[in-house]
Amino acid sequence: MTEEELKALEKEVKKLKRISSEWASQLHDLVEDRLPAGYEEIPTIAQSTYDACKAWADANKRFNELSSAG
């Protein structure tokens, strides 16, 4: 993997971390401000938060493996 590709992957990891943090914030707001009345929002927000965090974790793992291999 070239240095440019590695930097692009690092940028993607940072972007995915930001997105996962935004979803986590939405989940937190749901718990703090809208429950119990907003209980129907739980599955959608929880799944989106999980998916965003999983995407970040996968990309971060790949970045760490590639950056330590070189």
Side-chain angles (χ1 to χ4, degrees):
M1 178 170 262
T2 69
E3 187 68 27
E4 285 181 14
E5 291 171 325
L6 194 58
K7 285 183 181 185
L9 180 56
E10 182 178 27
K11 185 177 178 179
E12 181 69 11
V13 168
K14 289 178 182 180
K15 175 185 164 189
L16 291 170
K17 185 174 183 180
R18 179 185 50 79
I19 291 169
S20 64
S21 293
E22 289 170 3
W23 277 109
S25 179
Q26 287 187 45
L27 186 59
H28 176 266
D29 291 346
L30 172 64
V31 170
E32 288 287 317
D33 301 331
R34 299 192 306 274
L35 288 181
Y39 74 93
E40 291 178 337
E41 296 177 63
I42 294 171
T44 302
I45 293 177
Q47 186 64 55
S48 295
T49 303
Y50 174 86
D51 292 345
C53 290
K54 177 79 167 110
W56 167 80
D58 292 346
N60 191 53
K61 180 181 177 186
R62 180 167 160 70
F63 173 75
N64 288 332
E65 288 171 351
L66 293 172
S67 63
S68 66

